Coordinates of all heavy atoms in Angstrom, one line a residue:
M1 N 0.9 -1.2 0.0 CA 0.0 0.0 0.0 C 0.9 1.3 0.0 O 1.7 1.4 0.8 CB -0.9 0.0 1.2 CG -1.8 1.1 1.3 SD -3.3 1.0 2.5 CE -2.4 0.4 4.0
N2 N 0.8 2.1 -1.0 CA 1.5 3.4 -1.1 C 0.8 4.5 -0.5 O -0.1 5.1 -1.3 CB 1.9 3.5 -2.7 CG 2.9 4.6 -2.8 OD1 3.4 5.2 -1.8 ND2 3.0 5.0 -4.1
T3 N 1.0 4.9 0.6 CA 0.3 6.0 1.3 C 1.4 7.2 1.3 O 2.5 7.0 1.8 CB -0.2 5.7 2.6 OG1 -0.9 4.5 2.6 CG2 -0.8 6.8 3.3
K4 N 0.9 8.4 0.9 CA 1.7 9.6 0.9 C 1.0 10.6 1.7 O -0.2 11.0 1.4 CB 2.0 10.0 -0.4 CG 2.8 11.1 -0.4 CD 3.2 11.6 -1.9 CE 3.9 12.9 -1.9 NZ 4.2 13.5 -3.2
N5 N 1.6 11.2 2.7 CA 1.0 12.2 3.4 C 1.1 13.5 2.6 O 2.2 14.0 2.3 CB 1.8 12.5 4.8 CG 1.2 13.5 5.7 OD1 0.3 14.3 5.2 ND2 1.5 13.5 6.9
K6 N -0.1 14.2 2.2 CA -0.1 15.3 1.4 C 0.2 16.5 2.1 O 1.0 17.3 1.8 CB -1.4 15.4 0.7 CG -1.6 14.3 -0.2 CD -0.9 14.3 -1.6 CE -1.7 15.1 -2.5 NZ -1.1 15.3 -3.8
N7 N -0.6 16.8 3.3 CA -0.4 18.0 4.1 C -1.1 17.9 5.3 O -2.1 17.2 5.4 CB -0.6 19.2 3.3 CG -2.1 19.3 2.8 OD1 -3.0 18.7 3.3 ND2 -2.5 20.3 1.9
I8 N -0.8 18.8 6.3 CA -1.5 18.8 7.5 C -1.8 20.3 7.8 O -0.9 21.1 7.6 CB -0.6 18.3 8.7 CG1 -0.2 16.9 8.5 CG2 -1.2 18.6 10.1 CD1 0.9 16.4 9.4
I9 N -3.1 20.5 8.1 CA -3.5 22.0 8.3 C -4.1 22.1 9.7 O -5.0 21.3 10.1 CB -4.6 22.3 7.3 CG1 -4.0 22.1 5.9 CG2 -5.1 23.7 7.5 CD1 -5.2 22.0 4.8
L10 N -3.6 23.1 10.5 CA -4.2 23.5 11.7 C -5.0 24.8 11.5 O -4.5 25.7 11.1 CB -3.1 23.8 12.7 CG -3.6 24.2 14.1 CD1 -4.5 23.2 14.7 CD2 -2.3 24.5 15.1
T11 N -6.3 24.7 11.9 CA -7.2 25.8 11.7 C -7.8 26.2 13.1 O -8.3 25.4 13.8 CB -8.4 25.5 10.8 OG1 -8.0 24.9 9.6 CG2 -9.2 26.7 10.5
N12 N -7.6 27.5 13.4 CA -8.2 28.0 14.7 C -9.6 28.5 14.3 O -9.8 29.4 13.5 CB -7.3 29.2 15.1 CG -7.9 29.6 16.4 OD1 -8.6 30.6 16.5 ND2 -7.5 29.0 17.6
L13 N -10.6 27.8 14.9 CA -12.0 28.2 14.6 C -12.5 29.2 15.5 O -13.5 29.9 15.3 CB -12.9 26.9 14.6 CG -12.5 25.9 13.6 CD1 -13.3 24.7 13.8 CD2 -12.6 26.4 12.2
S14 N -12.0 29.4 16.8 CA -12.4 30.2 17.8 C -11.4 30.3 18.9 O -10.3 29.5 18.7 CB -13.7 29.9 18.4 OG -13.6 28.8 19.3
A15 N -11.5 31.1 19.9 CA -10.5 31.2 20.9 C -10.1 29.9 21.6 O -8.9 29.7 21.9 CB -10.9 32.1 22.0
D16 N -11.0 29.0 21.6 CA -10.8 27.6 22.3 C -11.1 26.4 21.5 O -11.2 25.3 22.0 CB -11.4 27.5 23.7 CG -12.9 27.8 23.5 OD1 -13.5 28.1 22.4 OD2 -13.5 27.6 24.5
V17 N -11.3 26.5 20.1 CA -11.7 25.5 19.2 C -10.6 25.5 17.9 O -10.6 26.4 17.4 CB -13.1 25.5 18.7 CG1 -13.4 24.5 17.8 CG2 -14.0 25.5 19.9
N18 N -10.0 24.3 17.8 CA -9.1 24.1 16.8 C -9.5 22.8 16.0 O -9.9 22.0 16.5 CB -7.7 24.0 17.3 CG -7.2 25.2 18.0 OD1 -7.0 26.3 17.3 ND2 -7.0 25.2 19.3
R19 N -9.1 22.9 14.8 CA -9.3 21.7 14.0 C -7.9 21.3 13.2 O -7.1 22.1 12.8 CB -10.3 21.9 12.8 CG -10.5 20.7 11.8 CD -11.4 21.1 10.7 NE -12.7 21.5 11.2 CZ -13.5 22.3 10.7 NH1 -13.1 23.0 9.5 NH2 -14.6 22.5 11.2
I20 N -7.6 20.0 13.2 CA -6.4 19.5 12.5 C -7.0 18.8 11.4 O -7.9 17.7 11.5 CB -5.5 18.6 13.5 CG1 -5.0 19.4 14.6 CG2 -4.4 18.0 12.6 CD1 -4.3 18.5 15.6
T21 N -6.6 19.0 10.2 CA -6.9 18.3 9.0 C -5.7 17.6 8.4 O -4.6 18.3 8.1 CB -7.6 19.2 7.9 OG1 -8.8 19.8 8.5 CG2 -8.0 18.4 6.7
I22 N -5.7 16.4 8.2 CA -4.6 15.5 7.5 C -5.1 15.1 6.2 O -6.1 14.3 6.2 CB -4.1 14.5 8.4 CG1 -3.7 15.0 9.8 CG2 -2.9 13.8 7.8 CD1 -3.4 14.0 10.8
N23 N -4.5 15.4 5.1 CA -4.9 14.9 3.8 C -3.8 13.9 3.3 O -2.7 14.1 3.4 CB -4.9 16.1 2.8 CG -5.9 17.1 3.1 OD1 -7.1 16.8 3.3 ND2 -5.6 18.4 3.0
Y24 N -4.3 12.7 2.9 CA -3.5 11.6 2.5 C -3.9 11.3 1.1 O -4.9 11.4 0.5 CB -3.8 10.3 3.3 CG -3.4 10.4 4.8 CD1 -4.2 10.6 5.8 CD2 -2.0 10.0 5.1 CE1 -3.9 10.7 7.1 CE2 -1.6 10.1 6.4 CZ -2.5 10.4 7.3 OH -2.2 10.5 8.7
S25 N -2.9 10.8 0.3 CA -3.1 10.3 -1.0 C -2.7 8.8 -1.0 O -1.7 8.3 -0.5 CB -2.2 11.0 -2.1 OG -2.3 10.5 -3.3
L26 N -3.8 8.0 -1.3 CA -3.7 6.5 -1.3 C -4.0 6.0 -2.7 O -5.2 6.1 -3.1 CB -4.5 5.9 -0.3 CG -4.6 4.4 -0.2 CD1 -3.2 3.9 0.2 CD2 -5.6 4.0 0.9
Q27 N -3.1 5.5 -3.4 CA -3.4 5.0 -4.8 C -4.3 6.0 -5.6 O -5.3 5.7 -6.2 CB -4.1 3.7 -4.7 CG -3.2 2.6 -4.0 CD -3.9 1.4 -3.8 OE1 -5.1 1.1 -4.1 NE2 -3.1 0.4 -3.2
E28 N -3.7 7.3 -5.6 CA -4.5 8.3 -6.4 C -5.8 8.8 -5.8 O -6.5 9.6 -6.5 CB -4.5 7.8 -7.9 CG -3.3 7.4 -8.6 CD -2.3 8.6 -8.6 OE1 -2.6 9.8 -8.8 OE2 -1.1 8.2 -8.4
Q29 N -6.2 8.3 -4.7 CA -7.4 8.8 -4.1 C -7.1 9.5 -2.8 O -6.1 9.3 -2.2 CB -8.3 7.5 -3.6 CG -8.7 6.7 -4.8 CD -9.6 7.3 -5.7 OE1 -10.5 8.0 -5.3 NE2 -9.4 7.2 -7.0
L30 N -7.8 10.6 -2.6 CA -7.7 11.6 -1.5 C -8.4 11.0 -0.3 O -9.6 10.7 -0.3 CB -8.1 12.9 -1.7 CG -7.9 13.9 -0.6 CD1 -6.4 14.1 -0.4 CD2 -8.4 15.3 -1.1
I31 N -7.8 10.8 0.9 CA -8.3 10.6 2.2 C -8.0 11.7 3.1 O -7.1 12.1 3.3 CB -7.8 9.2 2.8 CG1 -8.2 8.1 1.8 CG2 -8.4 8.9 4.2 CD1 -7.4 6.8 2.3
V32 N -9.2 12.2 3.7 CA -9.1 13.4 4.7 C -9.6 13.0 6.1 O -10.6 12.4 6.3 CB -9.9 14.5 4.1 CG1 -9.8 15.7 5.1 CG2 -9.6 14.8 2.7
F33 N -8.7 13.1 7.0 CA -9.0 12.9 8.5 C -9.0 14.2 9.2 O -8.0 15.0 9.1 CB -8.0 12.0 9.1 CG -8.2 11.8 10.5 CD1 -9.2 11.0 11.0 CD2 -7.4 12.4 11.5 CE1 -9.5 10.9 12.4 CE2 -7.7 12.2 12.9 CZ -8.7 11.5 13.4
T34 N -10.1 14.5 9.9 CA -10.2 15.8 10.7 C -10.4 15.4 12.1 O -11.1 14.5 12.5 CB -11.2 16.8 10.2 OG1 -12.5 16.1 10.3 CG2 -10.9 17.3 8.8
Q35 N -9.8 16.3 13.0 CA -10.1 16.1 14.4 C -10.2 17.5 14.9 O -9.5 18.5 14.7 CB -8.8 15.5 15.1 CG -8.8 15.4 16.6 CD -7.6 14.8 17.1 OE1 -7.2 13.8 16.7 NE2 -7.0 15.4 18.1
Q36 N -11.4 17.7 15.6 CA -11.7 19.0 16.2 C -12.2 19.0 17.6 O -13.0 18.1 17.9 CB -12.9 19.6 15.4 CG -13.3 20.9 15.9 CD -14.5 21.5 15.0 OE1 -14.5 21.2 13.7 NE2 -15.5 22.2 15.6
N37 N -11.5 19.8 18.5 CA -12.0 19.7 20.0 C -13.4 20.4 20.0 O -13.7 21.4 19.2 CB -11.0 20.4 20.8 CG -10.8 21.8 20.6 OD1 -10.6 22.3 19.4 ND2 -10.7 22.7 21.6
M38 N -14.2 19.9 20.9 CA -15.5 20.5 21.1 C -15.6 21.1 22.4 O -15.0 20.7 23.5 CB -16.5 19.3 20.9 CG -16.5 18.5 19.7 SD -16.8 19.6 18.2 CE -18.4 20.1 18.5
T39 N -16.3 22.2 22.5 CA -16.6 23.0 23.7 C -18.1 23.1 23.9 O -18.9 22.9 22.8 CB -15.9 24.3 23.8 OG1 -16.5 25.2 22.9 CG2 -14.5 24.2 23.5
S40 N -18.7 23.4 25.1 CA -20.1 23.5 25.3 C -20.6 24.8 24.6 O -21.8 24.9 24.3 CB -20.4 23.6 26.7 OG -19.7 24.7 27.2
S41 N -19.7 25.6 24.2 CA -20.2 27.0 23.5 C -20.3 26.8 22.1 O -20.7 27.7 21.3 CB -19.3 28.1 23.9 OG -18.0 27.8 23.5
V42 N -19.8 25.7 21.4 CA -19.8 25.5 20.0 C -20.7 24.3 19.6 O -20.7 23.3 20.1 CB -18.3 25.2 19.5 CG1 -18.3 24.9 18.0 CG2 -17.4 26.3 19.8
S43 N -21.5 24.7 18.6 CA -22.4 23.6 18.0 C -21.8 23.1 16.7 O -21.3 23.9 16.0 CB -23.8 24.0 17.9 OG -24.0 24.9 16.9
Q44 N -22.0 21.8 16.3 CA -21.5 21.3 15.2 C -22.5 20.5 14.4 O -23.3 19.7 15.0 CB -20.3 20.4 15.4 CG -19.7 19.7 14.1 CD -18.9 20.7 13.4 OE1 -18.3 21.5 13.8 NE2 -18.9 20.5 12.1
G45 N -22.7 20.7 13.1 CA -23.7 20.0 12.4 C -23.1 19.6 11.0 O -21.9 20.1 10.7
T46 N -23.8 18.7 10.3 CA -23.3 18.2 9.1 C -24.4 18.4 8.1 O -25.6 18.0 8.3 CB -22.9 16.7 9.1 OG1 -21.9 16.6 10.2 CG2 -22.3 16.3 7.8
L47 N -24.1 19.0 6.9 CA -25.0 19.1 5.9 C -24.6 18.2 4.7 O -23.5 18.1 4.4 CB -25.0 20.5 5.3 CG -25.6 21.6 6.2 CD1 -25.4 23.1 5.6 CD2 -27.0 21.4 6.6
S48 N -25.6 17.5 4.2 CA -25.3 16.6 3.0 C -26.5 16.4 2.1 O -27.6 16.5 2.6 CB -24.7 15.2 3.5 OG -25.8 14.6 4.3
D49 N -26.3 16.2 0.9 CA -27.3 15.9 0.0 C -27.8 14.5 0.3 O -27.1 13.5 0.0 CB -26.9 16.1 -1.5 CG -27.9 15.8 -2.5 OD1 -29.2 15.5 -2.2 OD2 -27.6 15.8 -3.7
T50 N -29.0 14.2 0.6 CA -29.5 13.0 1.1 C -30.1 12.1 -0.2 O -30.5 11.0 0.0 CB -30.6 13.0 2.2 OG1 -31.6 13.8 1.8 CG2 -30.0 13.5 3.4
D51 N -30.3 12.9 -1.3 CA -30.8 12.1 -2.5 C -29.6 11.0 -2.9 O -28.5 11.3 -3.0 CB -30.9 13.0 -3.7 CG -32.2 13.9 -3.5 OD1 -32.9 13.7 -2.6 OD2 -32.3 14.9 -4.2
D52 N -30.1 9.8 -3.0 CA -29.3 8.7 -3.4 C -28.1 8.4 -2.4 O -27.1 7.9 -2.8 CB -28.7 8.9 -4.8 CG -29.9 9.0 -5.8 OD1 -30.8 8.2 -5.7 OD2 -29.7 9.8 -6.8
S53 N -28.2 8.9 -1.2 CA -27.2 8.7 -0.2 C -27.7 7.7 0.9 O -28.9 7.6 1.1 CB -26.7 10.0 0.5 OG -26.2 10.8 -0.5
V54 N -26.8 7.0 1.5 CA -27.1 6.0 2.4 C -26.5 6.3 3.8 O -25.3 6.6 3.8 CB -26.8 4.6 2.0 CG1 -27.1 3.6 3.1 CG2 -27.5 4.2 0.8
S55 N -27.3 6.4 4.9 CA -26.7 6.7 6.2 C -26.9 5.5 7.1 O -27.9 4.9 7.0 CB -27.4 7.9 6.8 OG -27.0 8.2 8.1
Q56 N -25.8 5.2 7.8 CA -25.8 4.0 8.7 C -25.3 4.3 10.0 O -24.2 4.9 10.1 CB -25.0 2.9 8.0 CG -25.0 1.6 8.8 CD -24.2 0.5 8.0 OE1 -23.7 0.7 6.9 NE2 -24.0 -0.7 8.6
A57 N -26.0 4.0 11.1 CA -25.4 4.2 12.4 C -24.5 3.0 12.8 O -25.0 1.8 12.6 CB -26.6 4.3 13.5
I58 N -23.4 3.2 13.3 CA -22.4 2.2 13.8 C -21.9 2.6 15.0 O -22.1 3.7 15.6 CB -21.4 1.9 12.6 CG1 -20.5 3.1 12.4 CG2 -21.9 1.4 11.3 CD1 -19.3 2.9 11.5
T59 N -21.0 1.8 15.6 CA -20.3 1.9 16.9 C -18.7 1.8 16.6 O -18.3 0.9 16.0 CB -20.8 1.1 18.0 OG1 -22.2 1.2 18.1 CG2 -20.0 1.3 19.3
I60 N -18.1 2.8 17.1 CA -16.5 2.9 17.1 C -16.0 3.0 18.5 O -16.2 4.0 19.1 CB -16.0 3.8 16.2 CG1 -16.6 3.7 14.7 CG2 -14.5 3.8 16.1 CD1 -16.1 4.9 13.9
N61 N -15.3 1.9 18.9 CA -14.8 2.0 20.4 C -15.8 2.4 21.4 O -15.5 3.2 22.3 CB -13.6 2.9 20.4 CG -12.4 2.4 19.6 OD1 -12.2 1.1 19.6 ND2 -11.5 3.2 19.1
G62 N -17.1 1.9 21.3 CA -18.1 2.3 22.1 C -18.9 3.6 21.9 O -19.8 3.9 22.6
A63 N -18.4 4.4 20.9 CA -19.0 5.6 20.6 C -19.9 5.5 19.4 O -19.6 4.7 18.4 CB -17.9 6.7 20.3
S64 N -21.0 6.2 19.4 CA -22.0 6.2 18.3 C -21.3 7.0 17.1 O -20.6 8.0 17.3 CB -23.3 6.9 18.6 OG -24.0 6.2 19.7
A65 N -21.5 6.4 15.9 CA -20.9 6.9 14.8 C -21.9 6.9 13.6 O -22.8 6.2 13.6 CB -19.5 6.2 14.4
T66 N -21.6 7.7 12.7 CA -22.4 7.7 11.4 C -21.6 7.5 10.2 O -20.5 8.3 10.0 CB -23.3 9.1 11.3 OG1 -24.0 9.2 12.4 CG2 -24.1 9.0 10.0
L67 N -21.9 6.6 9.3 CA -21.3 6.3 8.1 C -22.3 6.8 7.0 O -23.4 6.3 6.8 CB -20.9 4.9 7.9 CG -20.3 4.5 6.5 CD1 -19.1 5.3 6.2 CD2 -20.2 3.0 6.3
L68 N -21.8 7.8 6.2 CA -22.6 8.4 5.2 C -22.0 7.9 3.8 O -20.8 8.4 3.5 CB -22.8 9.8 5.2 CG -23.6 10.5 4.2 CD1 -25.2 10.1 4.3 CD2 -23.5 12.1 4.3
Q69 N -22.7 7.3 3.0 CA -22.2 6.9 1.7 C -23.0 7.7 0.7 O -24.2 7.6 0.4 CB -22.4 5.4 1.5 CG -21.7 4.6 2.4 CD -22.2 3.0 2.4 OE1 -23.3 2.8 2.5 NE2 -21.2 2.2 2.2
E70 N -22.3 8.6 0.1 CA -22.9 9.6 -0.8 C -22.9 9.2 -2.2 O -22.0 8.2 -2.6 CB -22.1 10.9 -0.7 CG -22.2 11.5 0.7 CD -21.4 12.8 0.9 OE1 -20.6 13.0 0.0 OE2 -21.7 13.5 1.8
K71 N -23.7 9.7 -3.0 CA -23.8 9.3 -4.4 C -22.6 9.5 -5.3 O -22.5 8.8 -6.3 CB -25.1 9.9 -5.1 CG -25.0 11.4 -5.1 CD -26.3 12.0 -5.6 CE -26.3 13.5 -5.5 NZ -27.6 14.0 -5.9
N72 N -21.7 10.4 -4.9 CA -20.6 10.7 -5.7 C -19.4 9.7 -5.3 O -18.2 10.0 -5.4 CB -20.2 12.1 -5.6 CG -19.8 12.5 -4.1 OD1 -19.9 11.7 -3.2 ND2 -19.5 13.7 -3.9
D73 N -19.8 8.5 -4.6 CA -18.8 7.6 -4.2 C -17.8 8.1 -3.0 O -16.8 7.6 -2.8 CB -17.8 7.1 -5.3 CG -18.6 6.3 -6.3 OD1 -19.5 5.6 -5.9 OD2 -18.2 6.2 -7.5
M74 N -18.3 9.1 -2.5 CA -17.6 9.8 -1.2 C -18.2 9.0 0.0 O -19.4 9.0 0.1 CB -17.7 11.2 -1.1 CG -17.0 11.8 0.1 SD -15.3 11.8 0.1 CE -14.9 12.8 -1.3
N75 N -17.4 8.6 0.9 CA -17.9 8.0 2.2 C -17.4 9.0 3.3 O -16.2 9.4 3.3 CB -17.3 6.6 2.4 CG -17.9 5.7 1.4 OD1 -19.1 5.6 1.2 ND2 -17.0 4.9 0.8
V76 N -18.2 9.3 4.3 CA -17.9 10.1 5.4 C -18.3 9.4 6.7 O -19.4 9.0 6.9 CB -18.6 11.4 5.3 CG1 -18.2 12.3 6.6 CG2 -18.4 12.2 4.0
L77 N -17.3 9.1 7.5 CA -17.4 8.5 8.8 C -17.2 9.6 9.9 O -16.1 10.2 9.9 CB -16.6 7.3 8.9 CG -16.6 6.6 10.2 CD1 -18.0 5.9 10.5 CD2 -15.4 5.5 10.2
S78 N -18.2 9.8 10.8 CA -18.1 10.8 11.8 C -18.5 10.3 13.1 O -19.4 9.6 13.2 CB -18.8 12.1 11.4 OG -20.1 11.8 11.3
W79 N -17.7 10.7 14.2 CA -18.1 10.2 15.5 C -17.5 11.2 16.6 O -16.5 12.0 16.2 CB -17.7 8.8 15.8 CG -16.3 8.6 15.9 CD1 -15.5 8.3 17.0 CD2 -15.3 8.3 14.8 NE1 -14.2 8.0 16.8 CE2 -14.0 8.1 15.4 CE3 -15.4 8.5 13.5 CZ2 -13.0 7.9 14.6 CZ3 -14.2 8.3 12.7 CH2 -13.0 8.0 13.3
Y80 N -18.0 11.2 17.7 CA -17.5 12.1 18.9 C -16.8 11.1 19.8 O -17.5 10.1 20.2 CB -18.7 12.8 19.6 CG -19.3 13.9 18.8 CD1 -20.4 13.5 18.0 CD2 -18.8 15.1 18.8 CE1 -21.1 14.4 17.2 CE2 -19.4 16.1 17.8 CZ -20.5 15.7 17.2 OH -21.1 16.8 16.4
Q81 N -15.7 11.4 20.3 CA -15.0 10.6 21.3 C -14.1 11.5 22.1 O -13.3 12.3 21.6 CB -14.3 9.4 20.7 CG -13.8 8.4 21.6 CD -13.7 7.1 20.9 OE1 -13.3 7.1 19.7 NE2 -13.8 6.0 21.6
R82 N -14.2 11.4 23.5 CA -13.2 12.1 24.4 C -13.3 13.6 24.0 O -12.2 14.2 24.1 CB -11.8 11.5 24.3 CG -11.7 10.1 24.8 CD -10.3 9.7 24.8 NE -9.7 10.0 23.6 CZ -9.1 9.1 22.8 NH1 -9.1 7.9 23.0 NH2 -8.4 9.5 21.7
G83 N -14.4 14.2 23.9 CA -14.5 15.7 23.5 C -14.0 16.2 22.2 O -13.8 17.2 21.9
L84 N -13.9 15.1 21.2 CA -13.4 15.4 20.0 C -14.4 15.0 18.9 O -15.1 14.0 19.1 CB -12.1 14.7 19.6 CG -10.9 15.0 20.5 CD1 -9.8 14.0 20.3 CD2 -10.4 16.5 20.4
L85 N -14.6 15.9 17.9 CA -15.3 15.4 16.7 C -14.3 14.9 15.7 O -13.4 15.5 15.3 CB -16.0 16.6 16.0 CG -16.6 16.4 14.7 CD1 -17.8 15.3 14.8 CD2 -17.2 17.7 14.2
L86 N -14.5 13.6 15.3 CA -13.6 12.9 14.4 C -14.3 12.6 13.0 O -15.5 12.2 13.1 CB -13.0 11.7 15.0 CG -12.4 11.8 16.3 CD1 -12.2 10.5 17.1 CD2 -11.0 12.5 16.2
K87 N -13.6 13.0 11.9 CA -14.3 12.5 10.7 C -13.2 12.0 9.7 O -12.1 12.5 9.7 CB -14.8 13.9 9.9 CG -16.1 14.5 10.5 CD -16.7 15.5 9.7 CE -17.9 16.0 10.3 NZ -18.6 17.0 9.5
L88 N -13.6 11.0 9.0 CA -12.7 10.4 8.0 C -13.5 10.4 6.7 O -14.6 9.8 6.6 CB -12.4 9.0 8.5 CG -11.5 8.1 7.5 CD1 -10.2 8.9 7.5 CD2 -11.3 6.7 8.1
R89 N -12.9 11.0 5.6 CA -13.6 11.1 4.3 C -12.8 10.4 3.3 O -11.5 10.6 3.3 CB -13.8 12.5 3.9 CG -14.8 13.2 4.7 CD -15.1 14.6 4.1 NE -15.4 15.4 5.3 CZ -15.0 16.6 5.4 NH1 -14.3 17.3 4.6 NH2 -15.4 17.3 6.5
G90 N -13.4 9.8 2.3 CA -12.6 9.2 1.2 C -13.5 8.4 0.2 O -14.7 8.4 0.3

């Protein structure tokens, strides 16, 4: 498996909320992992086109997670764990 780290981006979203985005290239496909700390003063939501998309509730290490399979062959896995919002796209 030929994995290449493309770049790492640190984004300051507010005084106490930061997001780390890691972009990987795997066999000519882009995989994006994001990790964002959550505070009680910040709400987070996800918008997606639900036409021809499939959403599935799963569990990751005891945490509730959502796997969204979009019509453009993009898969998005998101879950909350230890005060972090984690997302994996590819």
Side-chain angles (χ1 to χ4, degrees):
M1 181 165 48
N2 184 12
T3 304
K4 181 180 176 188
N5 187 343
K6 296 284 270 185
N7 61 15
I8 300 171
I9 303 163
L10 175 61
T11 306
N12 181 264
L13 301 175
S14 71
D16 55 353
V17 178
N18 295 293
R19 178 186 298 146
I20 297 171
T21 303
I22 304 171
N23 296 312
Y24 294 96
S25 177
L26 176 63
Q27 299 175 356
E28 305 299 320
Q29 298 295 317
L30 182 64
I31 298 173
V32 180
F33 175 74
T34 60
Q35 174 179 308
Q36 176 181 322
N37 64 312
M38 301 301 295
T39 65
S40 59
S41 63
V42 174
S43 65
Q44 177 74 33
T46 302
L47 295 174
S48 62
D49 181 2
T50 58
D51 291 345
D52 300 324
S53 296
V54 177
S55 177
Q56 181 179 358
I58 61 174
T59 302
I60 299 176
N61 292 331
S64 296
T66 302
L67 174 60
L68 182 63
Q69 298 170 306
E70 299 177 340
K71 60 184 172 189
N72 61 0
D73 292 330
M74 177 69 68
N75 294 312
V76 181
L77 179 62
S78 59
W79 71 102
Y80 294 93
Q81 195 156 25
R82 296 183 313 240
L84 299 172
L85 169 61
L86 304 165
K87 286 189 180 183
L88 185 60
R89 288 184 214 144

